[in-house]
Amino acid sequence: MLNLQTICLGVLYSGSKSGYELHKIINTDLKHFQTASFGALYPALGKLEAKKFIVSDGKKNPIQTSSLPKKIYTITENGRAVFEAQILKTRAEEKLTSDFLAAFHFAEHLPAENIAALIDSQSAKLQEEYRDLISTPLSRMSEGQRFGIRYTIAINRAATAFLKGEGRAIQATLSRRLPKG
Amino acid sequence: MLNLQTICLGVLYSGSKSGYELHKIINTDLKHFQTASFGALYPALGKLEAKKFIVSDGKKNPIQTSSLPKKIYTITENGRAVFEAQILKTRAEEKLTSDFLAAFHFAEHLPAENIAALIDSQSAKLQEEYRDLISTPLSRMSEGQRFGIRYTIAINRAATAFLKGEGRAIQATLSRRLPKG
DNA sequence: AATAACATGTAAACGGTTACATGATTCG
DNA sequence: CGAATCATGTAACCGTTTACATGTTATT
C-alpha cells in the first residue's frame, strides 16, 4: 500500500510546499482516498528529508527568532526517481473500514431509533462528501484526477440512492422486532 | 472507530469460538468492512481476556502435551454489557484507503499500459468481491447483515458500471498524451 | 508418509492518532 | 488588541502488519 511518504512525494512532485500546505492539500484534494494528521505528516517529512528524497530551506536554528517559521520542502531528483518507481509498481488495492456497516452487522443489539440515526447520519455524510466532490474546480486538474472524482461520485450516488430506497424499509423491518429482554 | 476488540466481542456474542474460527469468520463474513490478521487477533483476544470481557477454557500448560491446543473463547456478562454500550454509541464513520484512486491522482506519471492494468485489476477485484457477496448464504443472516450486504453490492455494481463505461475512455485519453521526456 | 488445513502465539517494526506545546502572522 | 489562521513539532499510545516459531489433526 502507498504510504504517506509516497503521497507526500507525489504532491511535492508538482511544486514545493510547506508542511502546512501539504496538510491542506491532502485533506481537501485527496480527501476521498487519503487523509493525514500533522502528527503523521511531520514525521513522514522528516524521514523523507533524512533519506534525501526532499530538501527544506528551513532555518531550524531556534536562536534566530526573526527567521520565518515556515519551511518549504522541495523534492530532489532522487525523490522523483523513487516516486516514479513507487507509483509504477502500485497495484489496485482498496481498504474500507466502516463503522456504519459494522453497526448494521450487529444491528440486532440496537434499538430502532439508533438504526434510524445511523441511516440519517450516513446519508448526511454522503451528501457532504458529494458537495465536496462537485465543488472541486475541475480546471487545473489532471485527467486522472477528474476520473477519480467521477468514480467516487458514481459510488457516492449509488450509496445515497440505496439508502433513500431501502433505508426506510429496513427501519420499519427492524422496528417490528420484539424488544430484547 | 470500532476496534478489533469490539468486533471480537460482537462475533463472540452469538456463540463461543476459537481464535482460529474467529479469524475465519471476520475474514469472510465481515470481509466487506473489516479484516484481521492473526498477529492482530491474538493480542486483541489477550487484552479482552485480561479485562475479563471474555474467558477461555485453554490449557495453557505446556507440560500437558496431550491437551488440545484449541482454546475456546466465551463472552462474559461484563463483556456483553460493554459490547452493547459500545455498539450503542457507534456513529456512521467510514474510512477508505485506495491505491487505485491514488495511482489515478498521480496518473500523469504513468504510462498507458499501467493505466490499463490498473483498471483491469480493479474490475477483477470488484468482480471477485461481487462473487463473494452474492455467494454468502442469506439464511442464518440477520436483517441488518443482509442490509449491509445489499448496500455493499449496490456500491460494487456502481463501481463496475463506471469502469465498464468510462474505463476505456480514460485509457484512450491518457494514451494520447505526449510521452514524458 | 506426506500434505493440507487447523491452531496458537511472539517480536520487531511500522504507521498513525491524539493530545500537548509553542509561537507567528494577518485581519478586523 | 483579540481572534482566527498559519505554522512546526514532540510524546505517549494504539493497533496492525509481517515474519517467525511451533505444533496438531485429518485426509489421501
Side-chain angles (χ1 to χ4, degrees):
Chain A
M1 284 283 253
L2 285 172
N3 62 13
L4 189 52
Q5 286 181 45
T6 308
I7 297 291
C8 287
L9 285 181
V11 178
L12 290 173
Y13 202 108
S14 59
S16 302
K17 281 153 200 82
S18 69
Y20 194 86
E21 285 169 318
L22 219 33
H23 179 258
K24 205 163 40 173
I25 289 169
I26 292 169
N27 294 301
T28 56
D29 300 357
L30 284 68
K31 201 184 174 183
H32 51 299
F33 63 87
Q34 178 86 45
T35 57
S37 63
F38 283 118
L41 190 58
Y42 286 117
L45 289 169
K47 282 167 205 161
L48 285 170
E49 204 172 8
K51 287 187 275 190
K52 306 278 171 71
F53 296 166
I54 59 174
V55 288
S56 75
D57 67 349
K59 328 287 181 299
K60 47 194 72 166
N61 196 343
I63 298 144
Q64 273 275 56
T65 327
S66 60
S67 75
L68 284 168
K70 200 167 166 177
K71 211 166 154 181
I72 302 290
Y73 293 97
T74 302
I75 192 166
T76 62
E77 273 315 303
N78 199 355
R80 281 180 203 274
V82 167
F83 176 74
E84 279 160 21
Q86 275 286 114
I87 202 75
L88 213 63
K89 70 174 188 201
T90 298
R91 302 273 155 265
E93 265 189 83
E94 271 182 345
K95 191 161 169 37
L96 171 76
T97 310
S98 170
D99 276 16
F100 174 70
L101 287 173
F104 264 96
H105 189 89
F106 300 118
E108 40 193 337
H109 308 298
L110 286 175
E113 64 259 33
N114 281 64
I115 306 279
L118 275 170
I119 291 176
D120 289 349
S121 146
Q122 178 75 353
S123 299
K125 277 190 191 292
L126 287 167
Q127 213 172 100
E128 197 194 323
E129 190 199 34
Y130 186 76
R131 258 185 285 113
D132 284 351
L133 287 165
I134 59 166
S135 73
T136 320
L138 293 167
S139 50
R140 282 177 310 118
M141 214 191 272
S142 74
E143 279 295 330
Q145 284 163 19
R146 268 186 281 251
F147 180 80
I149 298 281
R150 290 206 310 274
Y151 178 83
T152 310
I153 287 176
I155 286 173
N156 181 291
R157 278 181 178 153
T160 298
F162 182 87
L163 291 184
K164 204 174 170 187
E166 303 210 27
R168 295 298 143 196
I170 192 77
Q171 277 175 50
T173 305
L174 294 176
S175 298
R176 260 182 267 110
R177 295 168 307 179
L178 291 173
K180 59 161 188 164
Chain B
M1 283 283 251
L2 285 172
N3 61 14
L4 188 52
Q5 285 180 46
T6 308
I7 298 291
C8 287
L9 285 181
V11 177
L12 289 173
Y13 202 108
S14 59
S16 302
K17 280 151 201 84
S18 69
Y20 194 84
E21 285 170 318
L22 220 31
H23 178 259
K24 204 163 39 172
I25 289 169
I26 292 169
N27 293 300
T28 56
D29 300 356
L30 283 66
K31 201 184 174 183
H32 51 297
F33 63 87
Q34 177 85 45
T35 56
S37 63
F38 283 118
L41 190 58
Y42 286 117
L45 289 169
K47 281 168 205 161
L48 285 171
E49 203 172 8
K51 287 187 273 189
K52 306 279 171 68
F53 297 165
I54 59 175
V55 288
S56 74
D57 65 350
K59 329 284 180 302
K60 46 195 77 167
N61 197 341
I63 298 145
Q64 274 275 52
T65 326
S66 60
S67 76
L68 283 168
K70 200 166 166 177
K71 213 165 151 181
I72 302 292
Y73 292 97
T74 303
I75 192 166
T76 62
E77 272 315 303
N78 200 355
R80 282 180 202 275
V82 166
F83 176 73
E84 279 161 22
Q86 276 286 115
I87 203 74
L88 213 63
K89 70 176 188 202
T90 297
R91 300 275 157 264
E93 265 188 82
E94 272 181 346
K95 190 158 171 39
L96 172 75
T97 310
S98 171
D99 276 14
F100 173 71
L101 287 173
F104 265 96
H105 190 88
F106 300 118
E108 40 193 336
H109 307 299
L110 287 176
E113 64 260 34
N114 281 64
I115 307 278
L118 275 170
I119 291 176
D120 289 348
S121 144
Q122 179 76 354
S123 298
K125 277 190 188 293
L126 287 167
Q127 213 172 97
E128 196 195 323
E129 189 198 37
Y130 185 76
R131 259 186 283 112
D132 284 352
L133 287 166
I134 58 166
S135 72
T136 320
L138 292 167
S139 51
R140 281 177 313 116
M141 213 190 272
S142 74
E143 279 296 330
Q145 285 164 19
R146 268 186 281 251
F147 180 81
I149 297 282
R150 288 206 310 274
Y151 178 83
T152 309
I153 287 175
I155 286 174
N156 181 290
R157 278 181 179 154
T160 297
F162 182 86
L163 291 184
K164 204 175 170 186
E166 304 211 27
R168 296 296 143 198
I170 191 77
Q171 278 175 48
T173 305
L174 293 176
S175 299
R176 257 180 270 113
R177 295 168 306 180
L178 289 174
K180 59 160 184 163

